[in-house]
Amino acid sequence: MVQVPSKILTLEEFLRLPETKPASEYIEGQILQKPMPQGKHSRIQGELLAAINAVVKPERVACAFSELRCTFGGRSTVPDIAVFLWDRIPCDDSGEVANVFSLAPDWTIEILSPDQSHTRVTKNIMHCLQHGTSVGWLIDPDEKTVFVYRPKQEIEIYDAANEVLLGPDFASGLQLSVENLFAWLKI
């Protein structure tokens, strides 16, 4: 991640700044810009988003959002995929999905980019878990590994082709093996 040089800002001041591309995040008083997604990251993100929504959206169980700013617990981060239970999706006065999400996702998913710090991304996932997220995934395309985080549990590591990835209970219909996940990288 690239640190954006600036004076110390409060979270409220940060949220008033114009959005950057790629997105900047506010973490422990620092403004950090995420790296630009590259091919593997982008491919996995798009396919996984569609696969999750195919399982959870038809019955209005949940909805997966791509690159959605989530502000809670003194941080403002932009997970690669944020999944919210249907009844927790913020709505505006007209009943449409709100622009501002001031809560932790129910499931957070990060896809590691080559220039991204594994530690920084893990800290973002742990922050989510401390604020109500039930599951966090960290997908490492280069290592063909998925780390699964749950509150107060040991990290689960999935790297065998036939292992089925475990998400939250509300997405139990998503039957995705490690092999199938990384097969999306093949053209």
Side-chain angles (χ1 to χ4, degrees):
M1 292 190 178
V2 178
Q3 189 170 351
V4 178
S6 66
K7 68 176 185 124
I8 302 282
L9 297 177
T10 66
L11 176 57
E12 293 73 25
E13 290 170 329
F14 167 77
L15 292 171
R16 287 194 296 267
L17 294 174
E19 285 291 344
T20 60
K21 290 211 183 226
S24 292
E25 299 179 315
Y26 183 88
I27 300 169
E28 297 174 1
Q30 295 183 9
I31 300 172
L32 304 168
Q33 190 171 20
K34 292 182 74 168
M36 181 63 75
Q38 296 179 9
K40 290 179 182 181
H41 178 286
S42 183
R43 177 76 173 179
I44 289 173
Q45 183 176 5
E47 295 293 335
L48 184 55
L49 183 79
I52 293 168
N53 277 331
V55 170
V56 299
K57 268 183 52 183
E59 300 296 321
R60 294 179 156 218
V61 172
C63 186
F65 296 85
S66 175
E67 303 288 334
L68 176 70
R69 178 167 303 287
C70 300
T71 303
F72 58 92
R75 288 185 180 205
S76 186
T77 59
V78 183
D80 294 321
I81 299 174
V83 185
F84 288 86
L85 288 168
W86 201 267
D87 62 354
R88 291 187 70 239
I89 299 171
C91 293
D92 61 20
D93 293 338
S94 65
E96 296 178 348
V97 66
N99 282 325
V100 176
F101 279 59
S102 298
L103 68 163
D106 294 288
W107 180 10
T108 186
I109 301 169
E110 294 284 1
I111 303 153
L112 202 60
S113 295
D115 297 334
Q116 205 166 20
S117 163
H118 190 285
T119 301
R120 174 109 26 231
V121 175
T122 299
K123 285 181 177 182
N124 281 349
I125 292 171
M126 299 305 292
H127 180 76
C128 288
L129 295 176
Q130 292 165 354
H131 288 86
T133 299
S134 62
V135 178
W137 281 11
L138 173 54
I139 301 169
D140 186 335
D142 289 337
E143 297 290 332
K144 305 288 188 279
T145 301
V146 180
F147 299 88
V148 177
Y149 301 83
R150 296 177 194 281
K152 299 180 180 164
Q153 292 185 20
E154 288 187 29
I155 299 167
E156 301 165 38
I157 301 171
Y158 294 85
D159 57 4
N162 64 342
E163 287 181 296
V164 176
L165 297 164
L166 296 178
D169 291 340
F170 66 80
S172 61
L174 180 68
Q175 296 296 309
L176 183 63
S177 71
V178 171
E179 180 177 41
N180 296 138
L181 174 73
F182 294 111
W184 288 329
L185 297 177
K186 301 222 188 274
I187 299 298

